[in-house]
């Protein structure tokens, strides 16, 4: 990151911290998760070989549906489509927040930096993205969601093929907002630096917000700034929160073995790397 951050002004620091808070709010309110908000921890790639992962793999054994087993690699992404602002690095506090959209490979080489991001249940994340993009927005833009609108049976198989091709570096026709459905494992250089990250599981509870605030406190962010951020985290609600509609669509998925298998195999790395069960 060089020296460009060393003499950063107080206003710039506060603005960056506020941006982190806003990103967290946008990121988490986008999901209708009901996780228990467990504490920060390093994710181990060995989760892919855990008994739970093996059990789920045996459950979903339709060989006609291919499992997405690798990421496309962030160097393959078109940087013009991914905002660099999704990575916020504050050199003063040695603090890096990665909102799942883009990598920050160069920062990963620096010593003593606390890298953190928020993870969420892949199925719940998908449902929230589907409601926000395909249910609420598609009626006004027929080019998104493969023209399927709110039809899960139409959308999910096409999403699988779309993402599988990208994982194999095959050509696809991109569409607006498609990145909301990319697996979490594709972002933040997880494929190369997952052991360096600290993860917070999202939960709609006070414990989750306390964990976020504790990250700032542990990084020696000034107390008055932490207080402002804490208040924002507690009170702000994203305009596009989708939790009021998510239950109905999740029931459709869970009642359909074929849709559930498609989604498990789309987000296999998310389930296995981050230790979630479907």
């Amino acid at each position: 990151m060089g020296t460009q951050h060393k003499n950063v002004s107080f206003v710039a620091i506060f603005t960056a911290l506020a941006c982190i808070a806003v990103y967290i709010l946008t990121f988490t309110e986008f999901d209708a998760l009901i996780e228990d908000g467990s504490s920060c921890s390093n994710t181990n790639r060995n989760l892919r070989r855990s008994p739970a992962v093996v059990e789920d793999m045996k459950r979903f054994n339709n060989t006609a549906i291919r499992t997405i087993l690798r990421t496309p690699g962030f160097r393959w992404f078109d940087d013009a489509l991914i905002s660099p602002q999704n990575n916020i690095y504050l050199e003063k506090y040695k603090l890096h927040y990665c909102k799942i959209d883009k990598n920050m490979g160069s920062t990963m080489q620096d010593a003593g930096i606390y890298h953190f991001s928020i993870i969420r249940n892949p199925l719940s994340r998908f449902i929230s993205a589907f409601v926000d993009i395909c249910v609420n927005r598609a009626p006004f833009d027929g080019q998104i969601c493969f023209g399927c609108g709110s039809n899960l049976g139409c959308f999910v198989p096409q999403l699988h093929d779309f993402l599988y091709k990208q994982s194999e570096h095959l050509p696809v026709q991109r569409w607006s907002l498609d990145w909301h459905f990319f697996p979490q494992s594709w972002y933040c250089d997880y494929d190369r630096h997952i052991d360096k990250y600290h993860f917070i599981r999202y939960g709609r509870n006070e414990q989750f917000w306390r964990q976020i605030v504790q990250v700032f406190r542990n990084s020696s962010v000034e107390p008055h700034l932490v207080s402002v951020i804490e208040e924002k985290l507690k009170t702000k609600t994203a305009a596009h929160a989708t939790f009021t509609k998510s239950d109905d669509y999740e029931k459709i998925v869970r009642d359909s073995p074929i849709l559930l298998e498609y989604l498990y195999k789309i987000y296999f790395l998310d389930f296995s790397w981050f230790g979630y069960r479907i």
Side-chain angles (χ1 to χ4, degrees), residues 24 27 38-44 93-100 108 110-120 184 188-190 193-202 208 211-212 214-216 218-219 273-274 276:
I24 291 171
F27 184 54
S38 57
S39 60
C40 301
S41 63
N42 286 322
T43 298
N44 192 317
Y93 305 113
K94 297 295 184 182
L95 184 65
H96 165 223
Y97 172 60
C98 180
K99 175 179 180 287
I100 295 180
M108 285 295 171
D110 297 342
I113 295 174
Y114 190 90
H115 308 278
F116 80 101
S117 60
I118 298 167
I119 56 174
R120 54 266 174 96
Q184 296 167 89
C188 301
D189 271 334
Y190 290 149
H193 300 295
I194 194 169
D195 293 335
K196 296 181 182 178
Y197 270 99
H198 297 264
F199 295 100
I200 300 176
R201 293 190 177 214
Y202 176 65
F208 169 72
Q211 291 175 46
I212 298 294
Q214 194 60 45
V215 169
F216 295 129
N218 291 344
S219 298
W273 285 7
F274 303 126
Y276 285 103

Side-chain angles (χ1 to χ4, degrees), residues 24-33 120 124-133 137 180-181 202 204 238 240-243 246:
I24 291 171
L25 286 165
T26 301
F27 184 54
T28 58
E29 290 293 339
F30 185 69
D31 299 297
L33 302 186
R120 54 266 174 96
S124 295
R125 173 179 176 254
F126 164 81
I127 294 296
S128 290
F130 181 80
V131 170
D132 181 49
I133 307 300
R137 305 193 199 192
H180 286 280
F181 297 95
Y202 176 65
R204 271 185 195 282
H240 61 271
T242 62
F243 48 87
S246 294

Side-chain angles (χ1 to χ4, degrees), residues 12 22 25 49 76 97 102 104 120 122 124 127 135 149 157 177 206 217 229 235 237 239 249 254 267:
V22 169
L25 286 165
R49 309 193 193 288
W76 173 77
Y97 172 60
K102 190 181 185 294
M104 202 169 189
R120 54 266 174 96
S124 295
I127 294 296
V135 177
L177 303 175
E206 187 69 19
R217 290 196 177 114
I229 292 168
T235 60
T237 300
Y249 285 96
R254 291 198 176 277
Y267 298 111

Side-chain angles (χ1 to χ4, degrees), residues 18 26 48 58 66-67 74 79 95 111 114 117 139 142 204 232 234 243-244 246 258 263 272 275 277-278:
T26 301
R48 285 177 291 180
K58 291 180 179 178
R66 295 171 293 189
T67 303
F74 292 96
D79 286 338
L95 184 65
Y114 190 90
S117 60
R204 271 185 195 282
K232 296 288 186 184
K234 288 180 178 179
F243 48 87
T244 57
S246 294
I258 191 70
L263 290 170
S272 58
R277 299 296 303 275
I278 196 166

